[in-house]
Amino acid sequence: AIITEGVLAVKAYERQESAVSRLQANIMNVKSATDKHIDSLTKQASALQLTTRFSDEQIISGQAMLATFQLNQGTIETLTPSLLDMVEAMRTSGDTTIDTEQAAKLMGKAMGSASDNIDGLATALRKNGVIMTEAQKAVFKTGTEAERTATLVAIMNQNFGGAAVAA
């Protein structure tokens, strides 16, 4: 039993290191990124792990996926709780289950390339239970990263707000 627990601990550590390595590689592709930003994101993941059912590896994997969309550390930190709410709400609804990376892809697309096809993206989000108004869609077409972030958090809160902490 002790050996099995040791093996499980080693595997968990390896998953953690792999997730952190992906986050480091992805966030360092963002122009303004520093080691402090990576540290801040991993600290956020550790803190969220204490209040949600998500492991820090799962959270960091979602953050790493958001970083592939060239989002800065502040934007990723702002979006992460909403990302977890979405995943948890979908898990408890029973219809469709997605993981943190899949949810991050949807959110990252909304943040990074929505101006190309916001209607198609809105449809993809709607298929996952996310409803947005025409005014909100307009922000994704013309808004700054900060405006898109605030709008996406508002959309996620109205659709899934608090689901991760409530679980």
Side-chain angles (χ1 to χ4, degrees), residues 40-160:
S40 179
L41 289 168
T42 57
K43 283 180 181 174
Q44 180 192 35
S46 293
L48 287 169
Q49 173 181 248
L50 300 175
T51 59
T52 68
R53 70 169 190 84
F54 297 95
S55 69
D56 53 353
E57 301 89 48
Q58 291 172 305
I59 298 166
I60 292 168
S61 289
Q63 292 172 325
M65 182 56 66
L66 287 172
T68 66
F69 291 92
Q70 296 295 300
L71 302 177
N72 67 43
Q73 166 257 335
T75 297
I76 294 169
E77 280 184 350
T78 301
L79 293 175
T80 298
S82 296
L83 173 119
L84 300 179
D85 286 341
M86 180 181 189
V87 174
E88 183 60 32
M90 296 194 69
R91 182 186 75 82
T92 57
S93 74
D95 287 341
T96 307
T97 301
I98 64 173
D99 63 24
T100 57
E101 288 187 22
Q102 292 166 319
K105 283 179 190 175
L106 286 171
M107 293 175 77
K109 287 178 182 178
M111 290 298 300
S113 62
S115 60
D116 297 334
N117 184 9
I118 186 60
D119 294 323
L121 182 59
T123 300
L125 288 169
R126 192 171 33 258
K127 287 180 183 177
N128 287 284
V130 178
I131 306 300
M132 69 177 78
T133 66
E134 291 301 317
Q136 290 167 326
K137 286 181 191 177
V139 173
F140 288 108
K141 288 182 180 179
T142 61
T144 65
E145 182 172 318
E147 291 167 335
R148 292 191 315 269
T149 301
T151 301
L152 187 54
V153 168
I155 291 166
M156 292 298 171
N157 283 341
Q158 76 189 45
N159 285 275
F160 310 116

Side-chain angles (χ1 to χ4, degrees), residues 15-36:
R15 281 193 307 273
Q16 168 86 13
E17 286 302 304
S18 174
V20 171
S21 293
R22 281 193 317 277
L23 177 61
Q24 287 173 327
N26 293 344
I27 200 78
M28 292 312 267
N29 287 327
V30 178
K31 286 184 260 183
S32 60
T34 67
D35 287 336
K36 279 198 234 180

